[in-house]
Amino acid sequence: MKDYAVQRTTVLVLSLSVLLRLSSGASEVVSPSTISDAYNNTADIDSNVTYAPIPQGASYSADTTYNDGGLGPLYNFARSFINTTQPNEFPYDIINGILDGSFDIGANYMQLVTYAIGFAVCFVLGLLFVIIFPIVGCCLCCCRCCCNNCGGRMQQKSETNTGCRKLIFGLCLLLCTVFMAVGMICTYVTNEQTTVALETAQTSINSNFDDMLTYLNNTIKQLNYAATTNFDFTKRVIFRDLDNIGVILGVPVRSTLSTEGNVDNSINAIIGLDTTIATVTGNLVAVNSSLNDFGAKAVVLVAALNNVSAQVQSTVSTCGLPCSAIDPNLLAVDADVTALPDINSQFSKIDSVSGQNITALALQGKKQFDDIPETVANESASTITTMKNLLNNFDGTIANALSSITALTDNLGSIDTIKADINDILSQASGYEKYRWNAGVGLTCTVLIVVVLQIFGILLGGVGYSSKNSPTERSCMSNSGGLMLMSAAGFIFIFAWLLMFLVMIVFLIGGNMEKMVCQPITDPSYKIFKELLDKPDGLFGQGYFLGGLILQNNTINLTFSGILEGCKAGGAAYSTLQLSNLFSLATVVDYKSTIDIQTQIDNLNVDLSSVKILTPDTEKQLTDFQDAINIDFASFVSELTKNTTQVDLISFAVDLETLADLGGINGTATGDQLRSQATLLRSIQANEFSDADASKVALLGSIQTLNTTVSGIPATLNSTLDAIKLTEAYVQNNGSVLVRQMATSYADRLLGVADTFVTFTLNAVNNDIGKCTPLWNLWYSLTNVLLCKHIVDVMNGFWFSFGWCIFFMVPSVIFDIKLAKHFRKMDYDEEDADSSVSGSDTEMAEKRGPPPPYARNKVGVATTSW
């Protein structure tokens, strides 16, 4: 029963220990295994951090698209005319020479002439037109009105090709009129585009300045997100790892010690002894039981033998000489139970050992080893607290680093002020816009009058004309058409030179703005900035202008072209504007100077020298077990292999019976006594002797079984004790050193999290935060769209449209006069002309004197058919 109880207890303890190990192992994982936040930043169980993209912030409202209202071809024509007139590029060398004082106007005036010759020629031609055209108009008027020349005489000679001429003149005039009408429409539309430009300007400026405010706010929010929100998440990951130092550092330390120190094998060797102890205990119990049984039966046998021996001794003493051969002292036991070794102490120790449960004791020692992660966590608590405090204090360092940036919000009011000032100017300009618009419409109407007169002149003349009617009998409709054509010619002479003067002035302004301003600043290579503004000795004097303006250091190569190229490509403000020279991110990058994680981990001191795998109780039980099996088996075997009695009881009984049958004794009381004693011996042989002998044999078997069982145990115990002591010494001597060594990997894990934050932050600051596209939009909207497209292109389209109209007005004058001759009602027929040669005309001719030199030209011939 006792053996069964011991085994049952062992099984229960082993089961409980397994359950404890499983539950302990299940909890030895990093908790929480993953971390995330509301911004989708995540970190896995190995602290691999994945940061979410930087939030883009509020959207921008500026629209940099441009709608030319279908006037793109007109603007391209005007631009092509300007480029043809002035094919030279921007005079960078001349301006640089003027800036550095190396340009001598007297010696290099031809460079200026070469550059300006195109505009100068156009200006001179326009000036000549302004001067000559009204003079020509006056001369033609005088010639017609005063001298009846130049087609002034109301007489037309009929010729065979008159109809063909009229048709050609009409078609040519109609074509010129159509071209003038196209130019007039373009003039009107460009005039409207100027109004649109003013309205667009206010909307564009407001949206762009609003975008600048949005841009600054977005940039500051993005910086705060990258430096504060992401750092808070990074802290959570590091805090998680610090709180799990027992798992992250302690478990690998324990595993390494277990493998290299052979801990599990040593503990399992002790646990394995539990079965051996149970077996030995069972065998020893059997030996003790057999020994007790043999002792009890040996006492009975000894008492019986002593009784018979006394009787035989009494009988032999009265028998005399015949009984002298009988020795009653031989009736004694040979295998003396009292001579067997005492095993009470061994039995007591094995009973104590089996009662303690060696498995439970071994697992107690194993628990100290298994608790190494908890020991690491407990003994590093102060270091963990220190590092957490350093990380919390680093928030203030980041806040100080951002203060110089967030201070920009204090100056946002200046942007609102600038926007308000510009809006005031544009509002005032809007008040005068109606006058400009009316002037533009009025100028357009001058062309409209000519176009209308010519169209109606052609229509009325063409419809009212009849080849059946003589020139003097032409209809009122035809005559009205001719008069309208002459009126159109008159209006052309009146307004064309004024329009040319306007074209000349606007051309000089618009053309030079196109060549000197728009084309250079819209050049994708930004050559004007590189040649004039980006050089250290450029337009603004010594050093880099923007470096001194923005970064307060004119030695820093911060250029207009670099900023425009970077912002157009969507570059971040920090890298594009080289803001690292204004405020450095070194405080974030060089976090190790403030949060020296490596030093803190290097100073980590975890003492594992007190870990006891072989507890004193376990060692005592193993020693007691070793003493319990230290039995003198040789003495047992030597004694138990003897005969149970010194003499064979049956043989001794036969001797007594033989003696009783001898003469002289047989039939006597002595003979009867001998026979009775022989019978008693046979009874002892059958009972007491048999029981004692069987018990002796059983005891010998138990001893031999026990001897076989424990034969290898002492060596096993010694090796187990030596192994567990070596394991314990290894853990105690190398555990703390191993903690420091493996703490390097732990520190690398923490530093990896911090370095990931630094890398992401630097990349975000240099590439994602504060993308300065709004700066490019502001520049593009104000220069390319507002100035060059809405103003300069419209201005150039305006003068080009008028110039187009003037160009076709010149031939229109000729065709007006030519065609009017065919539509107007004449005063004289051909016959009237012939019969009046000696009449009043002759008298007038006499009064006038000799004809002028040009009187006989083709236009001035009085008899012309025109």
Side-chain angles (χ1 to χ4, degrees), residues 77-88 118 122 515 519:
F77 272 125
R79 191 176 297 109
S80 177
F81 179 83
I82 293 172
N83 290 331
T84 303
T85 302
Q86 171 53 285
N88 301 311
C122 290
K515 292 296 293 185
Q519 290 187 11

Side-chain angles (χ1 to χ4, degrees), residues 84-407:
T84 303
T85 302
Q86 171 53 285
N88 301 311
E89 68 171 3
F90 191 85
Y92 298 109
D93 51 347
I94 296 177
I95 295 179
N96 283 324
I98 294 174
L99 291 176
D100 59 22
S102 63
F103 186 80
D104 185 358
I105 297 178
N108 301 291
Y109 70 93
M110 283 304 298
Q111 293 185 30
L112 295 175
V113 172
T114 301
Y115 182 79
I117 189 66
F119 285 116
V121 169
C122 290
F123 181 80
V124 170
L125 291 176
L127 187 61
L128 289 175
F129 183 89
V130 170
I131 295 173
I132 294 174
F133 194 74
I135 293 175
V136 170
C138 290
C139 292
L140 179 63
C141 182
C142 293
C143 180
R144 287 178 63 87
C145 296
C146 300
C147 303
N148 282 334
N149 289 323
C150 301
R153 181 177 177 82
M154 300 301 293
Q155 180 181 3
Q156 185 178 24
K157 184 178 180 180
S158 176
E159 297 181 0
T160 58
N161 60 352
T162 299
C164 182
R165 288 185 178 184
K166 177 174 70 65
L167 179 62
I168 293 174
F169 292 152
L171 291 176
C172 292
L173 179 59
L174 180 61
L175 184 63
C176 291
T177 303
V178 170
F179 280 121
M180 281 193 293
V182 172
M184 176 198 67
I185 294 172
C186 291
T187 303
Y188 179 79
V189 176
T190 53
N191 186 61
E192 289 292 327
Q193 284 293 102
T194 305
T195 302
V196 173
L198 185 62
E199 295 172 353
T200 303
Q202 190 163 7
T203 303
S204 177
I205 290 173
N206 287 337
S207 61
N208 275 281
F209 276 99
D210 289 341
D211 282 354
M212 290 303 299
L213 294 174
T214 303
Y215 170 69
L216 290 176
N217 289 325
N218 285 346
T219 301
I220 292 171
K221 289 178 181 179
Q222 288 173 341
L223 282 172
N224 284 326
Y225 172 84
T228 304
T229 303
N230 280 358
F231 182 70
D232 289 341
F233 181 77
T234 303
K235 278 200 309 181
R236 286 180 57 196
V237 178
I238 295 177
F239 282 7
R240 189 269 308 265
D241 288 354
L242 291 175
D243 292 336
N244 286 271
I245 188 173
V247 176
I248 300 173
L249 177 59
V251 170
V253 167
R254 185 185 65 192
S255 298
T256 302
L257 290 174
S258 177
T259 302
E260 296 181 358
N262 204 23
V263 174
D264 287 337
N265 289 337
S266 298
I267 297 296
N268 290 335
I270 297 177
I271 294 174
L273 290 174
D274 198 13
T275 302
T276 302
I277 291 172
T279 302
V280 170
T281 300
N283 291 338
L284 193 56
V285 168
V287 168
N288 188 60
S289 177
S290 297
L291 181 59
N292 291 334
D293 183 62
F294 176 60
K297 292 178 179 179
V299 170
V300 174
L301 177 60
V302 169
L305 289 177
N306 288 337
N307 179 44
V308 173
S309 176
Q311 291 180 21
V312 171
Q313 181 67 37
S314 174
T315 303
V316 169
S317 63
T318 59
C319 179
L321 182 61
C323 296
S324 61
I326 300 300
D327 185 4
N329 293 325
L330 294 176
L331 293 173
V333 293
D334 192 15
D336 189 2
V337 69
T338 60
L340 294 176
D342 185 10
I343 63 170
N344 287 327
S345 62
Q346 285 87 344
F347 186 77
S348 175
K349 288 184 178 180
I350 198 67
D351 187 60
S352 174
V353 169
S354 62
Q356 288 295 323
N357 194 327
I358 195 67
T359 297
L361 295 175
L363 291 178
Q364 287 180 3
K366 182 65 164 59
K367 186 178 184 303
Q368 287 197 40
F369 179 78
D370 288 340
D371 287 343
I372 285 178
E374 185 178 351
T375 303
V376 170
N378 292 336
E379 296 199 14
S380 60
S382 60
T383 301
I384 299 301
T385 301
T386 300
M387 285 196 288
K388 285 185 176 181
N389 290 335
L390 290 174
L391 287 168
N392 287 328
N393 293 336
F394 196 66
D395 283 333
T397 303
I398 293 178
N400 292 333
L402 294 176
S403 60
S404 58
I405 306 173
T406 54

Side-chain angles (χ1 to χ4, degrees), residues 383 413 499 562 603 632 640 643 708 784:
T383 301
L499 294 178
N603 292 334
D632 187 2
L640 293 175
N643 294 325
T708 302
N784 291 44

Side-chain angles (χ1 to χ4, degrees), residues 376-531:
V376 170
N378 292 336
E379 296 199 14
S380 60
S382 60
T383 301
I384 299 301
T385 301
T386 300
M387 285 196 288
K388 285 185 176 181
N389 290 335
L390 290 174
L391 287 168
N392 287 328
N393 293 336
F394 196 66
D395 283 333
T397 303
I398 293 178
N400 292 333
L402 294 176
S403 60
S404 58
I405 306 173
T406 54
L408 292 173
T409 56
D410 298 334
N411 300 322
L412 295 182
S414 59
I415 296 179
D416 289 327
T417 302
I418 295 173
K419 185 177 76 171
D421 293 341
I422 294 176
N423 284 329
D424 289 340
I425 295 173
L426 292 176
S427 297
Q428 293 178 7
S430 297
Y432 295 98
E433 168 59 17
K434 60 181 179 180
Y435 301 111
R436 186 214 58 79
W437 184 86
N438 290 332
V441 171
L443 293 172
T444 305
C445 287
T446 60
V447 180
L448 177 62
I449 292 173
V450 173
V451 170
V452 170
L453 288 174
Q454 290 183 161
I455 290 176
F456 277 95
I458 294 172
L459 290 175
L460 293 176
V463 172
Y465 176 81
S466 175
S467 58
K468 297 179 180 180
N469 296 329
S470 65
T472 58
E473 295 177 350
R474 288 171 182 163
S475 66
C476 179
M477 183 179 295
S478 176
N479 186 56
S480 298
L483 292 175
M484 287 185 179
L485 294 178
M486 293 304 297
S487 299
F491 275 109
I492 290 174
F493 279 114
I494 294 172
F495 293 110
W497 68 276
L498 293 174
L499 294 178
M500 178 57 77
F501 182 78
L502 175 66
V503 169
M504 182 177 62
I505 300 301
V506 179
F507 166 73
L508 286 179
I509 299 173
N512 280 286
M513 288 189 68
E514 173 68 25
K515 292 296 293 185
M516 298 291 289
V517 179
C518 288
Q519 290 187 11
I521 65 177
T522 58
D523 181 9
S525 64
Y526 306 108
K527 187 175 181 180
I528 188 172
F529 299 107
K530 295 176 181 178
E531 291 289 340

Side-chain angles (χ1 to χ4, degrees), residues 1 23 64 158 253 462 533 549 636 669 671 679:
M1 292 296 292
S23 62
T64 59
S158 176
V253 167
L533 303 178
L549 179 65
F636 269 102
T679 300

Side-chain angles (χ1 to χ4, degrees), residues 513-586:
M513 288 189 68
E514 173 68 25
K515 292 296 293 185
M516 298 291 289
V517 179
C518 288
Q519 290 187 11
I521 65 177
T522 58
D523 181 9
S525 64
Y526 306 108
K527 187 175 181 180
I528 188 172
F529 299 107
K530 295 176 181 178
E531 291 289 340
L532 300 181
L533 303 178
D534 293 345
K535 295 180 179 180
D537 55 349
L539 183 63
F540 297 105
Q542 297 298 320
Y544 295 99
F545 172 71
L546 289 182
L549 179 65
I550 298 176
L551 306 177
Q552 288 79 52
N553 187 346
N554 60 7
T555 63
I556 298 174
N557 186 15
L558 182 63
T559 62
F560 287 94
S561 60
I563 292 176
L564 291 176
E565 288 173 350
C567 291
K568 182 180 180 180
Y574 189 81
S575 55
T576 303
L577 301 180
Q578 301 183 35
L579 297 180
S580 57
N581 297 286
L582 187 60
F583 53 88
S584 176
L585 295 176

